[in-house]
Amino acid sequence: MSITPSPSSFNLQNLASESTKTKLEPKSPYYLIIKLLLICGFWYCSSAFSNIALKKCLTVFPFPLTLTVVQFLGCALLTFPLLKYMNVRGAFILSKGLFITGILPLSFGKVSAVFFATVSIGNVPVSYSNTIKASLPIFSVLFSRVMLGQRHSVAIYFSLLMIISGVVISSFTEVLFDLSGLVCALLSTMSTALLSVYAKKAMVDNNLHHLKMLYFVSLSSLFLCLPLWLFHDASRLLNFDYSALKDPVSEIFPYMLAVSIFNWSQNVAAFSFLSLVNPVSYSVANCMKRVFTIAMSLAILRNPVTSTNMLGMGASIGGVALYNKIKYDENKMEKLKLPISVKQTYPHSPSNGQIHPSNGIHPKLKVPVFETKTHTSSFINNNNLNTLNRRDSDFNGSFIA
């Protein structure tokens, strides 16, 4: 006697299997490419307008620490409703251990990077500041050599020589050169290089949503800045000569609002982009972002620039592009050298699935599969975050500057 399922049970089974297939069915590669291009374009525009608004604001309101606080405050306030809207699981819950080991170190680095970058933009043109920030691979290689003892190829050092040459040429030919602006840009870049060691690792090791990390890092950075702001800028703001401005509210507030919004949007875009790609791809995109920001600032702010100065900028950006290409090729070659898995069969165990003559059944093969080794310098995207195992932490600037 057989039991035939009813039509309703067939429908339920079909619906269940279809829903399972829908969940398991991977997204089209074109979908991911379009998504990355949209995020990238949004990131580039937000970054360029953030730098330009910051420069204009500092021209009439020379308080970089105050504007640093404004950036972190805006980032925290605007990320809060976004997390609520996206319904991120445990968005506002953070363990004490994760805060101390993950968020707090990132916050110290973020405060340093943002503050020095703000001071730099206040003292030198946006184009020159971004040219100095393109020297990030120099600090990445230096830290990996000193801290990890990692050796690099001659091609890598050649790309660094191009970057250094470009920075030197730009510095000597910069019409509005300022030493404090140069030093602050270098300090910001160095902070970003150290930050890049920790950011992705903290996100992956703790399975932390990128927007949740952005929210807590911004909030923690804000509280770190507030005591310094009260000590340094609070009294100076009261004694500032606002009479030089026709209308302080209309001349300062719109720029501060623009800095907050554009800084937040570029952070959201950068963290989202970082969660989807590997560090080398991020570095390439970050390099192109520098080019876009420099071009936009020159077009809008119309800073005086010479052909030699442009040559220096081009050499720096070209060196960064070459560095990223070499790193990509090296990582690809290393992955090709490593075996995916190793299988071993025992003697007297047929490996072709033939029936054993003594008992007429298929023998059970004992095939120990050794764990796949993944190259430690390669990045693993968010589809398999739990398999991250890196030795050199990819010192290539995988954090927003």
Side-chain angles (χ1 to χ4, degrees), residues 137-152:
I138 299 172
F139 295 99
S140 300
V141 170
L142 177 64
F143 292 146
S144 66
R145 184 72 181 92
V146 173
M147 297 170 65
L148 300 175
Q150 184 182 358
R151 296 184 178 276
H152 300 276

Side-chain angles (χ1 to χ4, degrees), residues 19-258:
S19 62
T20 306
K21 286 179 182 178
T22 304
K23 289 180 180 179
L24 296 177
E25 187 177 343
K27 296 284 187 182
S28 167
Y30 296 106
Y31 170 83
L32 181 60
I33 290 171
I34 293 171
K35 183 178 180 180
L36 287 174
L37 287 175
L38 289 174
I39 293 174
C40 209
F42 184 67
W43 178 27
Y44 286 13
C45 293
S46 300
S47 179
F49 289 129
S50 174
N51 279 264
I52 292 167
L54 190 59
K55 180 65 178 179
K56 284 187 169 290
C57 189
L58 286 167
T59 304
V60 296
F61 187 72
F63 294 95
L65 185 57
T66 300
L67 287 173
T68 302
V69 171
V70 166
Q71 289 178 72
F72 288 132
L73 177 63
C75 211
L77 290 177
L78 291 170
T79 307
F80 181 84
L82 184 62
L83 283 169
K84 298 269 294 180
Y85 172 76
M86 294 184 66
N87 198 23
V88 177
R89 184 178 179 184
F92 308 105
I93 301 172
L94 195 71
S95 66
K96 183 180 178 181
L98 179 55
F99 175 77
I100 294 173
T101 60
I103 300 299
L104 201 57
L106 284 173
S107 302
F108 277 109
K110 189 69 173 169
V111 168
S112 174
V114 172
F115 173 70
F116 285 124
T118 305
V119 174
S120 173
I121 288 176
N123 293 339
V124 295
V126 173
S127 56
Y128 178 65
S129 178
N130 276 272
T131 302
I132 302 301
K133 287 181 182 179
S135 64
L136 184 66
I138 299 172
F139 295 99
S140 300
V141 170
L142 177 64
F143 292 146
S144 66
R145 184 72 181 92
V146 173
M147 297 170 65
L148 300 175
Q150 184 182 358
R151 296 184 178 276
H152 300 276
S153 63
V154 176
I156 287 288
Y157 289 114
F158 177 75
S159 67
L160 297 185
L161 183 62
M162 281 185 62
I163 298 171
I164 294 171
S165 301
V167 170
V168 170
I169 293 171
S170 297
S171 299
F172 277 108
T173 58
E174 178 56 51
V175 178
L176 303 175
F177 176 79
D178 182 85
L179 183 60
S180 60
L182 168 64
V183 172
C184 287
L186 288 172
L187 288 173
S188 174
T189 307
M190 185 171 62
S191 301
T192 304
L194 285 171
L195 211 57
S196 70
V197 179
Y198 209 77
K200 187 66 193 187
K201 188 175 186 302
M203 194 187 299
V204 170
D205 288 353
N206 300 287
N207 198 18
L208 196 61
H209 193 278
H210 55 281
L211 292 180
K212 180 179 178 179
M213 172 180 277
L214 174 61
Y215 172 73
F216 279 105
V217 168
S218 301
L219 201 61
S220 178
S221 300
L222 175 63
F223 283 109
L224 287 175
C225 280
L226 281 177
L228 295 173
W229 178 81
L230 290 170
F231 176 77
H232 188 266
D233 272 14
S235 59
R236 292 177 63 218
L237 284 170
L238 295 174
N239 299 324
F240 182 66
D241 184 16
Y242 294 97
S243 61
L245 302 173
K246 294 180 180 179
D247 185 1
V249 175
S250 63
E251 289 188 51
I252 296 174
F253 182 74
Y255 285 132
M256 294 180 71
L257 185 62

Side-chain angles (χ1 to χ4, degrees), residues 62 64 202 259 311 353 363:
V259 167
L311 177 65

